[in-house]
Amino acid sequence: MKRILQFAALSVVYLISFIIYYSGLFKVIVFVRKKILKKTRVIVLAYHSIADYSPVYANKKEFITPIRQFRRQVSYLKNNFHIVPFEEFKSILQNGRVNEDIAVLTFDDGHRDVFSNALSIISEFKLPAVFFLTTGFIGRENYLTWEQVNMMRARGFEFGCHTVTHPHLDRISSDMVKREVMESKLELEKRIGKEINYFSYPYGDYNESVVSIIKECGFSAAVTTEDSNCDLSSTDLFRINRKTVLNRPFCFFVLKIEGLFEGGFWEYIRKKIFY
């Protein structure tokens, strides 16, 4: 029954996205937001696998962004957003003011196809990105090697921690949380020779205790999977919202980052039907 509801909900959303985008109404919406309402969008995008097929997500194909789709998304972002490094983004949040649409590209887990498929596209468009690595996965089949990580480091990309084994941090003891967090930080710093200041909560799961531990371990910011624009007036540096990019039609992607499916009714549907 749940799968039927999910299929029905997605079908309706796709139809709405198709009509709004290809009718030209989308351009009107963006124009009104930017020129009349004078509102900006500040978003962090979370990617996982960039490939046409990934054995890691054989049963969760929505986490795979096809290569051609990724190129189209990056091209759109390049033309419509100022894409900044995470360190600059953190300063923007602290400053609380911005006069243009801002986006940050993040990649979780450390999939090898990001190195083989995504880097060339990101580099072609001359864009920054931050990679949150699950250190215990490095060197495994279908994941990055430390050699590849250092090659990425040499090209100027940023890195953050994503624990050692990718557990649900809100379901384990505080001692285990500290071990997962601190061991991943120390390992990554040792391997790339640079201090690591950013953290990504696996599955987006955290609680007050986990946040306190992240702060104690010396991180300066952490990202969640809360699907929303970043509110510069109230964003907590240890609870930064991110929009997870799933394998969806391009028209849905652009409406999603514009915020047409945020909050209220859409958030209720997302939580009730898809979780």
Side-chain angles (χ1 to χ4, degrees):
M1 183 62 181
K2 190 172 183 178
R3 287 192 175 185
I4 294 175
L5 288 174
Q6 290 175 346
F7 177 80
L10 283 176
S11 297
V12 170
V13 170
Y14 291 167
L15 179 60
I16 293 172
S17 302
F18 183 89
I19 293 172
I20 292 177
Y21 183 73
Y22 289 103
S23 69
L25 181 57
F26 177 73
K27 291 183 178 180
V28 175
I29 292 171
V30 175
F31 176 84
V32 170
R33 173 180 65 80
K34 289 184 176 182
K35 303 299 183 180
I36 299 177
L37 300 179
K38 306 294 185 182
K39 290 186 176 181
T40 56
R41 295 287 294 165
V42 180
I43 60 172
V44 183
L45 299 179
Y47 286 94
H48 290 80
S49 177
I50 309 299
D52 295 325
Y53 171 76
S54 170
V56 176
Y57 291 117
N59 297 318
K60 294 183 178 179
K61 295 180 181 179
E62 65 269 24
F63 287 100
I64 305 172
T65 302
I67 299 170
R68 290 182 63 184
Q69 185 81 321
F70 180 69
R71 173 182 288 278
R72 190 178 183 187
Q73 292 174 359
V74 169
S75 177
Y76 179 85
L77 291 166
K78 171 74 173 181
N79 291 327
N80 293 277
F81 285 77
H82 180 203
I83 302 178
V84 300
F86 197 86
E87 185 64 29
E88 182 178 340
F89 174 71
K90 191 177 70 172
S91 297
I92 289 171
L93 291 180
Q94 291 173 313
N95 186 48
R97 294 191 306 273
V98 68
N99 57 10
E100 60 184 334
D101 290 343
I102 300 293
V104 180
L105 300 180
T106 76
F107 297 81
D108 279 6
D109 302 336
H111 298 285
R112 190 171 300 182
D113 55 48
V114 169
F115 181 87
S116 57
N117 299 328
L119 284 195
S120 60
I121 297 173
I122 297 171
S123 299
E124 176 187 337
F125 286 94
K126 297 181 173 58
L127 300 178
V130 58
F131 300 85
F132 292 101
L133 304 181
T134 306
T135 54
F137 293 176
I138 304 300
R140 289 186 185 180
E141 186 178 6
N142 301 311
Y143 287 91
L144 293 167
T145 65
W146 284 115
E147 181 182 7
Q148 290 170 328
V149 170
N150 276 296
M151 289 173 66
M152 294 162 68
R153 168 73 181 91
R155 292 168 66 174
F157 291 108
E158 297 175 295
F159 291 94
C161 288
H162 201 40
T163 72
V164 178
T165 65
H166 204 280
H168 293 271
L169 294 178
D170 60 344
R171 302 180 189 178
I172 60 178
S173 69
S174 294
D175 286 342
M176 292 179 67
V177 172
K178 289 179 183 178
R179 185 159 57 248
E180 284 280 344
V181 172
M182 205 63 212
E183 286 184 8
S184 66
K185 187 177 194 294
L186 292 174
E187 177 73 2
L188 190 50
E189 290 177 339
K190 173 185 173 183
R191 292 284 188 168
I192 70 172
K194 188 175 187 292
E195 185 177 7
I196 300 300
N197 297 311
Y198 321 130
F199 187 84
S200 171
Y201 301 107
Y203 308 103
D205 291 345
Y206 66 92
N207 53 31
E208 292 303 320
S209 175
V210 171
V211 172
S212 295
I213 291 170
I214 298 302
K215 293 178 180 179
E216 291 172 9
C217 288
F219 292 94
S220 61
V223 295
T224 72
T225 56
E226 295 296 325
D227 195 321
S228 179
N229 185 59
C230 292
D231 184 349
L232 295 182
S233 66
S234 62
T235 295
D236 182 335
L237 286 177
F238 290 89
R239 297 174 178 83
I240 298 173
N241 298 334
R242 283 192 305 171
K243 289 182 167 295
T244 300
V245 181
L246 300 177
N247 189 355
R248 306 283 190 247
F250 180 73
C251 56
F252 174 82
F253 170 80
V254 294
L255 265 67
K256 177 184 175 74
I257 64 174
E258 181 60 25
L260 269 66
F261 297 118
E262 280 179 9
F265 172 75
W266 297 109
E267 185 66 13
Y268 175 83
I269 292 296
R270 188 171 75 92
K271 291 183 176 179
K272 288 295 183 180
I273 298 181
F274 293 96
Y275 292 94

